[in-house]
Amino acid sequence: SWPRLPGYEVTAELGRGGMAVVYRARQTGLNRPVALKVIAGGALAGASDRQRLRREAEAVARLRHPNVVQIYDIGEHEGCLYLSLEYVAGGSLDRRLEVAPLPPAEAARVVEVVAGAV
């Protein structure tokens, strides 16, 4: 089941990783789409995972670049730590690459954008 977090309406699961699950949601107060990164294990998550997510949030908050997703908020509800992030439509690059390799010109554009962001 999807998490119930105050101020958000979860609408879909976008992906899973080793540390967190990412959901598409609507931030109800501002009526905007967001990506919610919710720590796996909820209130049962270990201290190291919780600290890692907090460090990630602080690092992302220091970045300002048009090709880097912005963080809106970090929160905790009933022991469940989460990040509210800018939602970018179109899916992830790793999922796109599962389908087939990018054509050379498109791959070069992606490398240029990623290099600029780094």
Side-chain angles (χ1 to χ4, degrees):
S1 67
W2 295 339
R4 292 187 185 144
L5 302 170
Y8 298 96
E9 179 184 291
V10 175
T11 58
E13 183 178 315
L14 297 175
R16 291 177 171 266
M19 183 180 72
V21 181
V22 180
Y23 300 94
R24 181 180 173 149
R26 184 175 66 85
Q27 186 178 15
T28 56
L30 295 173
N31 193 29
R32 68 176 168 185
V34 298
L36 286 178
K37 187 171 189 174
V38 180
I39 196 161
L44 302 176
S48 63
D49 284 341
R50 297 172 68 78
Q51 184 62 11
R52 183 174 158 201
L53 191 66
R54 286 191 179 280
R55 280 195 311 270
E56 176 184 329
E58 291 169 1
V60 171
R62 289 190 296 269
L63 299 174
R64 292 287 180 264
H65 190 279
N67 297 109
V68 174
V69 169
Q70 294 299 297
I71 186 167
Y72 295 141
D73 193 18
I74 184 169
E76 191 166 342
H77 179 67
E78 296 179 350
C80 182
L81 187 64
Y82 64 91
L83 306 180
S84 174
L85 303 158
E86 174 184 9
Y87 173 76
V88 179
S92 65
L93 179 59
D94 64 337
R95 284 206 180 143
R96 168 59 179 88
L97 294 175
E98 286 175 358
V99 176
L102 297 174
E106 187 177 348
R109 281 192 298 277
V110 168
V111 169
E112 179 181 27
V113 169
V114 170
V118 171

